[in-house]
């Protein structure tokens, strides 16, 4: 059986560094997964910016997007997302102008408000002890959009500054895990991607806020909501649960302030879980969809029905790499992705 409401499916990649491997292999795995999911007809392939985490090799996000673009031919590539507090808007406009020149019509620019790291690393990135306030973010975002479109007003102090190369405006998305970015995306008439995979309690309220505040913008007359979901699909429920064990342990370590490389299923199984740790892991992964194709299909159907999503972005962190590819293959089969579904492109 296929999904009850077919829609585009996409990929979110954190470029996981697994136990017993290296960042070199993590990047090679990313390029391989991008090629494989393109062949499976996934709509887009986004890289998430994180810093200071031994198990995540996606800190140089724009560089990796360029490598994924070069390794593929048709799948949309982009950021899920670039954390704007860490960067000068001009730098991001230059980087994505360059990506747009390299891969015309294939680039998405997803923007997030969080730093994607701990306070000390955020300070090292920004060279500032100040925090980005809610008032600062819209100004930073407006500056970025103005650089992309070469559209500063005549009296703006940056009107003489041009982001080069200027290759047109890539679709700008706002990413969020609460209502703030949802509301801002609605006000600005932008597409919105919600991080259901780690903030499921806020999913429905944020999407409702986004749709209720949406105001048409040039080129966009209706809201477009993508929901990011953590999914592990295997041939049986038991195998999928075994493969999902490392994510539970990785989430526990990260939320305890002790991130490490991504563990193996054997390491996760051998870990001496306390009842409190089990409860914490259960809570952190409560929204994750894990199981056989029938189990995953039913859960994705329920998520699509509940959220009325226009697109689902799937993040799958499992070890070994072959099992990760297999998960995306199984999902593509029951979702019938061989039948083209046009994602938002502009």
């Amino acid at each position: 059986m296929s999904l009850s409401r077919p829609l585009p499916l996409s990929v979110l990649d954190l470029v996981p560094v697994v136990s017993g491997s290296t960042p070199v292999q993590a990047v090679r795995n990313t390029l391989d997964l991008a090629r494989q999911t393109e062949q499976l007809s996934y709509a887009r392939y986004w890289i998430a910016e994180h810093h200071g985490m031994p198990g995540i090799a996606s800190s140089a996000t724009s560089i990796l997007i360029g490598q994924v673009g070069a390794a593929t031919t048709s799948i949309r590539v982009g950021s899920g997302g670039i954390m704007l507090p860490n960067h000068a808007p001009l730098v991001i406009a230059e980087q994505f102008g360059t990506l747009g020149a390299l891969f015309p019509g294939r680039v998405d620019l997803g923007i997030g408000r969080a730093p994607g790291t701990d306070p000390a690393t955020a300070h090292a990135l920004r060279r500032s002890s100040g925090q980005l306030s809610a008032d600062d973010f819209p100004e930073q975002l407006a500056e970025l959009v103005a650089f992309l479109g070469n559209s500063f007003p005549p009296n703006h102090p940056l009107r003489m500054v041009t982001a080069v190369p200027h290759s047109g405006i890539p679709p700008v998305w706002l990413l969020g895990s609460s209502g703030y970015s949802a509301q801002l995306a609605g006000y600005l008439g932008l597409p919105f991607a919600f991080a259901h995979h780690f903030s499921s309690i806020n999913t429905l309220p944020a999407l409702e806020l986004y749709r209720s505040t949406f105001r048409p913008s040039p080129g966009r007359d209706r809201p477009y909501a993508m929901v990011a979901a953590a999914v592990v699909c295997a041939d049986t429920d038991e195998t999928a649960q075994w493969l999902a064990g490392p994510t539970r342990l990785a989430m526990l370590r990260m939320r305890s302030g002790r991130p490490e490389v991504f563990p193996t299923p054997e390491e996760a199984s051998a870990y001496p879980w306390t009842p409190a740790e089990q409860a914490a892991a259960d809570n952190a992964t409560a929204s994750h969809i894990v199981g056989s194709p029938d189990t995953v299909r039913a859960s994705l159907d329920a998520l699509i029905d509940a959220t009325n999503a226009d697109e689902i972005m799937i993040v799958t962190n499992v070890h070994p790499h072959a099992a990760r590819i297999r998960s995306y293959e199984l999902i593509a089969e029951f979702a019938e992705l061989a039948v083209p579904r046009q994602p938002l492109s502009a």
Side-chain angles (χ1 to χ4, degrees), residues 16-21 239 241-250 253 260-271 273 317-321 323:
V17 182
V18 301
S19 178
S21 188
T239 300
Q241 290 294 339
W242 169 256
L243 292 170
T247 295
R248 292 169 50 82
L249 181 55
R253 288 170 170 171
E260 300 179 21
V261 296
F262 194 75
T264 66
E266 291 79 9
E267 289 169 338
S269 178
Y271 181 79
W273 295 86
N317 290 328
V318 297
H319 182 68
H321 179 60

Side-chain angles (χ1 to χ4, degrees), residues 57-228:
S58 57
S59 55
T61 315
S62 296
I63 293 175
L64 286 171
I65 292 169
Q67 292 298 305
V68 170
T72 55
T73 58
S74 59
I75 194 170
R76 297 190 64 85
V77 296
S79 57
I82 292 291
M83 301 294 106
L84 196 54
N86 300 334
H87 311 279
L90 175 59
V91 173
I92 299 306
E94 290 174 337
Q95 290 175 354
F96 277 78
T98 302
L99 289 169
L102 289 167
F103 314 110
R106 291 178 57 200
V107 178
D108 300 320
L109 174 51
I111 295 293
R113 184 169 65 104
T117 188
D118 60 273
T121 305
H123 169 67
L125 285 163
R126 299 182 63 204
R127 303 304 300 165
S128 170
S129 58
Q131 296 295 314
L132 187 73
S133 73
D135 292 332
D136 292 328
F137 183 73
E139 181 180 347
Q140 294 269 350
L141 179 63
E143 185 177 308
L144 171 61
V145 171
F147 275 128
L148 289 168
N150 197 20
S151 56
F152 283 107
N155 61 343
H156 196 282
L158 297 175
R159 68 188 183 280
M160 301 301 293
V161 180
T162 303
V164 178
H166 188 263
S167 55
I169 305 175
V172 176
W173 293 66
L174 283 193
L175 280 58
S177 57
S178 66
Y180 180 91
S181 292
Q183 187 173 39
L184 183 59
Y187 283 148
L188 297 177
L190 297 175
F192 178 59
F194 188 82
H196 176 76
H197 56 304
F198 66 80
S199 186
S200 59
I201 192 172
N202 293 318
T203 304
L204 297 184
L207 292 177
E208 171 61 27
L209 186 60
Y210 168 58
R211 292 176 176 125
S212 66
T213 58
F214 184 86
R215 298 186 297 194
S217 60
R220 186 151 347 274
D221 60 2
R222 59 175 291 272
Y224 191 99
M226 179 161 62
V227 175

